[in-house]
Amino acid sequence: MTTDTTRQEDPMSTVTPSRAPHHDAPTAHRHPEGRLGAGLFDPGQLARSLPDALRKLDPRVMIKSPVMFVVLVGSVVTTVLAVRDPGDWFGWTITAWLWLTVVFANLAEAVAEGRGKAQADTLRRAKTDTVARRLAGETEERVPGTGLRVGDLVVCEAGDIIPGDGDVVEGVASVDESAITGESAPVIRESGGDRSAVTGGTKVLSDRVVIRITTKPGETFIDRMINLVEGAARQKTPNEIALNILLASLTIVFLLAVVTLKPFAIYAGADGQTSMIVLTALLVCLIPTTIGALLSAIGIAGMDRLVQRNVLAMSGRAVEAAGDVSTLLLDKTGTITLGNRQASEFVPVRGVTAAEVADAAQLSSLADETPEGRSVVVLAKEAYGLRERHQGELAGAEWIAFTAQTRMSGVDVDGRRIRKGAAGSVVAWVRERGGTVAEDADTVASRISEAGGTPLLVAVHDDRGARVLGVIHLKDVVKDGMRERFAELRRMGIKTIMITGDNPLTAKAIADEAGVDDFLAEATPEDKMALIKREQAGGKLVAMTGDGTNDAPALAQADVGVAMNTGTSAAKEAGNMVDLDSNPTKLIEIVEIGKQLLITRGALTTFSIANDVAKYFAIIPAMFAVAYPSLDKLNIMGLASPESAILSAVVFNALIIIALVPLALRGVRYRPMSADRMLRRNLGIYGLGGLIAPFLGIKLIDVLISSLIPGL
């Protein structure tokens, strides 16, 4: 798999090239609303979200959340009862707070959706109606971009807006993708390879390309982005559906329990304390309204956290799956290593000095514009004080370019013929000229390979004959901090597997240095697919990254397939996530975001259910203490009166929703630890906190109500 962690800049462009992003560095593209949770109490944010919250009071919308639908029905019932008895201030107060409970729940979802809509508006501004130059045989015809069909060929030149998603089939061009990625540096798109995909709405800056359209109008990448970030395409995930079923079941159980209280109250002579308004208030307080109100907002916020990091999840299922991933497949090049091998050492053979090797290596690399070639020149200059020479200084020199057939490069100058390249090729070149190969050359090359490096032999043919001078040690540099990141993943219970096309010796050395758990060397697309299936057969969820057409089958097979935006259309269609920054290391962050989503949902569910226990102690004693004075012992909070107890519980039930919205949007902070330790931690914080908070909150509200309404 070829992964492009840096954006290829157009040499004719005046835009400053961007550098490869570090996996912890913030991306250039940020959500317009800033930090999650920070904008909740922003008056502007609330003003924009309140109309949406009120529109969500439509029963056809509310019924999608069974818990909040019951609260809505209860609000309507208490409203009717309050209208029938206009002088009942208690009934009107309960009714007002029940309606506020519903509105606060809708407001949480509306605020979460509002963040996505803000970014969707930005994307809509980037989407323009274009006129396409469609090829019809040898001629061009101008048609609206909306009139293009899959398979059409269109021509784009400098200054043109690309009319639809497709693949470059002819030519190469510099493209401005800032409307999609937020990155100002242009990228190169060319026919063939893994950088052929282009996105509708981006702009061609130079040259001419022919593009084959691969998507229908209205289904382009920008259209899908708009639908995803504003929530229009968000479907409930399996875990979310399962939790909704659990909450609905608990609601039915509490509904049956509350209904049976009326006959008991009549029998006990406490019928006056169990009016329909009181029973409705009891039901609303006992059902899990807190998590019912925040469940949708938690899911939307999880998707939004990915969007902030320039990752598009094509489904909420993918985000959840990321949280349950137990195996990560990581490409070596660009993910674990920097991707460009660097010369780190000149090793001479017996009878030759390192300075001689450095001089020959530098000369043979002057025409080599690859990162490896430039690193040889720099190392010779820095380590051995050799002045950096240029091709123009060597009059009469004949430069030998590297080719896949010869696997060598070099120079013929001043009666010397110098070659640098793969060990087998250089050895064959020397022997063809009747030269000798030092016995220790093979030993040095093998030692470098076993250490994870790449050996390049340097040879010369002069008046002393052809001979090998030494070996250049090219080292694939592991990124800083990768060992620590893999140690964190190991503590999370996640197995890491490095995938590489290198030979097993080199792969093992890099794997040991980086600290991954396992590796797959000389990997083919079939090998990747077989590895994923083996892991899945063992009950594990697998995540991987890819960018090429040959990665598409494995991306489709993986539970979490992250396609690079620089990759082919086939890869992006096969994956269920797209990284707009094309930074493979981001897969680790995606897993952490998925785990944060699951932990947040579990923590707030625990808090919500624990809340109900405390509210039970507030309301039940208040209802029956008149008929059964001994129940007053359960009034451990010492609430002032039955009316004050019930009203305090209803007020707390509404306020706790709005108080927890920032946590739902920001997410519970994730720390790498074992599942058992995490469970104990969350039970201690959110379980125990869910028990204690209502006792304190309801008592505080009761004191406030009693002081405001004397005699209550």
Side-chain angles (χ1 to χ4, degrees):
M1 179 175 68
T2 305
T3 304
D4 179 19
T5 55
T6 59
R7 300 173 68 85
Q8 285 195 319
E9 292 82 25
D10 175 14
M12 301 300 293
S13 173
T14 58
V15 182
T16 302
S18 63
R19 299 191 181 276
H22 188 274
H23 62 266
D24 285 330
T27 58
H29 189 60
R30 280 300 175 197
H31 199 289
E33 293 299 330
R35 184 170 56 86
L36 279 172
L40 173 64
F41 299 111
D42 172 29
Q45 178 68 55
L46 290 176
R48 290 189 296 270
S49 302
L50 188 57
D52 288 335
L54 296 177
R55 279 193 289 269
K56 290 178 182 290
L57 292 175
D58 184 341
R60 292 170 297 183
V61 177
M62 295 296 299
I63 201 169
K64 296 177 182 178
S65 174
V67 176
M68 297 316 299
F69 181 73
V70 170
V71 180
L72 176 66
V73 173
S75 303
V76 173
V77 170
T78 57
T79 301
V80 172
L81 295 175
V83 169
R84 290 171 59 182
D85 187 5
D88 182 12
W89 70 268
F90 179 76
W92 280 110
T93 307
I94 292 292
T95 298
W97 280 100
L98 290 184
W99 279 110
L100 284 175
T101 302
V102 181
V103 172
F104 287 165
N106 289 344
L107 191 62
E109 184 175 358
V111 168
E113 289 177 348
R115 299 171 183 277
K117 289 178 180 178
Q119 186 167 16
D121 291 340
T122 302
L123 292 171
R124 284 193 181 94
R125 288 193 292 271
K127 184 181 176 183
T128 58
D129 293 329
T130 58
V131 175
R133 297 161 55 190
R134 184 169 62 187
L135 287 176
E138 297 296 326
T139 62
E140 295 181 9
E141 58 180 358
R142 293 185 175 272
V143 298
T146 54
L148 294 174
R149 295 293 178 264
V150 175
D152 285 348
L153 296 177
V154 297
V155 177
C156 289
E157 295 181 325
D160 290 345
I161 300 296
I162 296 174
D165 294 356
D167 289 320
V168 176
V169 295
E170 180 184 320
V172 57
S174 174
V175 179
D176 176 10
E177 294 186 341
S178 58
I180 305 296
T181 65
E183 173 61 65
S184 60
V187 296
I188 297 298
R189 291 291 176 260
E190 57 188 339
S191 60
D194 296 338
R195 287 190 289 271
S196 61
V198 291
T199 305
T202 57
K203 186 177 182 179
V204 176
L205 298 180
S206 69
D207 301 296
R208 176 185 184 275
V209 288
V210 177
I211 299 166
R212 178 181 287 113
I213 299 299
T214 57
T215 57
K216 299 177 182 178
E219 298 180 6
T220 64
F221 194 60
I222 287 186
D223 291 315
R224 291 160 65 192
M225 286 176 67
I226 291 171
N227 289 333
L228 287 166
V229 299
E230 70 179 358
R234 197 187 88 87
Q235 297 178 341
K236 290 186 177 179
T237 62
N239 283 351
E240 199 172 343
I241 292 172
L243 185 53
N244 262 315
I245 293 172
L246 173 63
L247 298 180
S249 302
L250 290 174
T251 300
I252 293 172
V253 170
F254 282 119
L255 179 61
L256 294 175
V258 170
V259 168
T260 59
L261 284 179
K262 188 66 175 178
F264 281 116
I266 294 173
Y267 175 79
D271 187 35
Q273 301 296 320
T274 56
S275 66
M276 184 60 71
I277 288 180
V278 171
L279 290 176
T280 302
L282 173 64
L283 175 62
V284 170
C285 289
L286 292 186
I287 62 177
T289 51
T290 306
I291 186 60
L294 299 175
L295 187 58
S296 181
I298 293 170
I300 294 171
M303 300 277 284
D304 192 72
R305 279 191 288 276
L306 282 176
V307 171
Q308 286 193 64
R309 289 161 176 82
N310 269 5
V311 177
L312 287 180
M314 300 307 172
S315 69
R317 182 192 296 266
V319 185
E320 279 190 355
D324 286 330
V325 158
S326 50
T327 302
L328 279 183
L329 305 186
L330 299 164
D331 188 47
K332 184 202 74 170
T333 306
T335 304
I336 295 174
T337 65
L338 293 176
N340 295 327
R341 295 172 301 175
Q342 303 290 308
S344 61
E345 183 183 10
F346 298 119
V347 184
V349 297
R350 190 176 295 108
V352 180
T353 65
E356 289 180 82
V357 179
D359 179 67
Q362 188 186 62
L363 281 172
S364 66
S365 300
L366 293 180
D368 187 352
E369 295 298 329
T370 64
E372 293 88 346
R374 302 315 302 161
S375 72
V376 171
V377 175
V378 171
L379 179 64
K381 175 185 176 182
E382 293 179 348
Y384 295 94
L386 295 176
R387 182 177 63 85
E388 183 175 351
R389 291 163 285 189
H390 301 282
Q391 297 181 49
E393 299 178 24
L394 301 176
E398 182 181 348
W399 303 99
I400 311 300
F402 174 87
T403 67
Q405 289 74 31
T406 63
R407 299 176 66 196
M408 291 187 301
S409 63
V411 62
D412 295 345
V413 62
D414 296 334
R416 290 191 300 166
R417 305 173 72 184
I418 303 171
R419 295 295 183 270
K420 172 201 72 178
S425 300
V426 173
V427 168
W429 182 83
V430 170
R431 286 176 176 166
E432 284 175 2
R433 284 150 184 79
T436 59
V437 179
E439 294 180 0
D440 55 340
D442 184 62
T443 304
V444 171
S446 298
R447 176 172 57 81
I448 291 173
S449 295
E450 291 172 1
T454 301
L456 294 181
L457 264 62
V458 180
V460 64
H461 185 195
D462 54 16
D463 53 8
R464 295 168 56 189
R467 62 194 185 281
V468 172
L469 298 177
V471 185
I472 303 172
H473 181 180
L474 291 182
K475 186 176 182 181
D476 204 353
V477 180
V478 174
K479 291 181 178 179
D480 290 339
M482 292 307 296
R483 176 172 283 276
E484 290 74 16
R485 295 297 293 271
F486 290 137
E488 285 183 12
L489 291 170
R490 199 170 294 111
R491 288 196 294 272
M492 294 157 55
I494 296 175
K495 177 183 178 182
T496 53
I497 302 177
M498 181 186 77
I499 300 176
T500 177
D502 291 339
N503 63 69
L505 285 176
T506 301
K508 183 178 186 306
I510 295 292
D512 290 342
E513 183 179 353
V516 296
D517 299 312
D518 202 353
F519 65 89
L520 177 65
E522 299 177 341
T524 64
E526 293 75 18
D527 293 334
K528 297 177 189 178
M529 178 74 79
L531 175 60
I532 292 172
K533 288 182 177 179
R534 283 199 303 272
E535 293 292 318
Q536 291 173 332
K540 298 177 180 178
L541 295 186
V542 180
M544 74 162 287
T545 61
D547 63 351
T549 300
N550 63 343
D551 292 320
L555 286 171
Q557 180 67 33
D559 300 282
V560 179
V562 183
M564 301 295 101
N565 189 45
T566 55
T568 62
S569 297
K572 289 194 279 189
E573 288 293 331
N576 49 25
M577 291 188 186
V578 177
D579 177 17
L580 301 180
D581 292 328
S582 299
N583 177 10
T585 311
K586 204 176 291 182
L587 181 59
I588 299 173
E589 293 182 53
I590 291 171
V591 170
E592 292 175 348
I593 291 172
K595 287 189 174 295
Q596 185 183 33
L597 170 66
L598 296 179
I599 291 169
T600 302
R601 187 182 293 157
L604 292 182
T605 300
T606 303
F607 186 91
S608 177
I609 294 175
N611 253 272
D612 297 336
V613 176
K615 287 180 281 189
Y616 170 88
F617 281 98
I619 297 181
I620 296 297
M623 292 173 61
F624 290 97
V626 174
Y628 298 101
S630 58
L631 284 178
D632 196 52
K633 294 179 181 178
L634 293 177
N635 185 17
I636 57 180
M637 285 181 268
L639 302 179
S641 66
E643 291 82 1
S644 176
I646 294 168
L647 183 56
S648 298
V650 171
V651 172
F652 176 83
N653 191 63
L655 294 180
I656 197 64
I657 292 173
I658 206 72
L660 289 175
V661 171
L663 181 61
L665 297 182
R666 186 175 59 251
V668 175
R669 184 179 176 186
Y670 172 71
R671 294 181 176 87
M673 61 181 70
S674 66
D676 291 344
R677 185 181 171 193
M678 189 181 301
L679 178 62
R680 290 195 299 270
R681 177 179 178 273
N682 287 340
L683 284 176
I685 295 175
Y686 298 99
L688 187 60
L691 284 173
I692 296 174
F695 281 95
L696 298 176
I698 291 174
K699 177 60 179 177
L700 182 62
I701 296 171
D702 175 75
V703 171
L704 184 60
I705 291 175
S706 300
S707 62
L708 293 176
I709 310 175
L712 181 65

